[in-house]
Amino acid sequence: MTNDTENARAARLKEAVEKGPLNMNEIAEELGVARTSVLNWKRRGAINIDNLKGIAELTGYRFWWLAFGEGPKTYSEADGVSNQSPLTDVAKASPEHARLIECISHLTRIRVLTPELAEGITATLNAVAASKKD
């Protein structure tokens, strides 16, 4: 592989890691690698296929775009859907909202926030909203 190819891949990996939903520590933890490995991927672009697939899954960036720079960056771009999640608007409402979204995301990843628990929290929030209408 040429240095130009690796440098271009490094730029794509850097974008995915920095703009994706997880920070470098979380990516490293999810993939079972050291944080310095993620840092090296961003700097050098040299990454094995399994970790590249993992980065794609964790960041929402398409594997083919990360590997070769071809096609849409994300699946939402491929589908013609806005790349911005509705959660982005919620997170921008206040630092407290952003922390709530971050907490929900983390608890979901580590499988503490189960579908049943999420349903209970949703019902509680809906009840609070309904009480405010009265």
Side-chain angles (χ1 to χ4, degrees):
M1 187 172 294
T2 68
N3 282 342
D4 289 342
T5 302
E6 286 181 351
N7 288 339
R9 182 177 299 139
R12 292 188 300 273
L13 285 165
K14 181 178 180 181
E15 178 180 336
V17 169
E18 292 179 359
K19 292 185 178 180
L22 305 178
N23 65 39
M24 278 192 349
N25 292 332
E26 293 169 320
I27 290 170
E29 184 178 314
E30 289 289 323
L31 295 177
V33 300
R35 181 183 177 278
T36 54
S37 294
V38 179
L39 184 60
N40 285 329
W41 300 336
K42 286 175 37 178
R43 288 183 179 161
R44 298 187 185 122
I47 183 173
N48 72 39
I49 194 163
D50 290 331
N51 287 326
L52 188 59
K53 287 177 182 177
I55 291 277
E57 290 173 8
L58 293 171
T59 64
Y61 281 74
R62 293 179 68 246
F63 171 81
W64 201 258
W65 183 81
L66 287 171
F68 306 107
E70 298 175 0
K73 289 181 185 182
T74 64
Y75 288 100
S76 58
E77 285 181 12
D79 295 337
V81 177
S82 170
N83 195 22
Q84 185 167 337
S85 164
L87 295 178
T88 302
D89 291 335
V90 173
K92 288 179 181 177
S94 73
E96 294 77 15
H97 284 78
R99 283 195 302 275
L100 175 62
I101 297 301
E102 199 173 284
C103 181
I104 290 169
S105 177
H106 174 72
L107 292 175
T108 300
R109 270 193 317 279
I110 63 171
R111 294 177 179 85
V112 170
L113 183 58
T114 63
E116 296 79 13
L117 186 54
E119 180 61 31
I121 292 169
T122 301
T124 301
L125 291 174
N126 284 331
V128 168
S131 73
K132 297 294 180 182
K133 290 180 183 177
D134 296 336

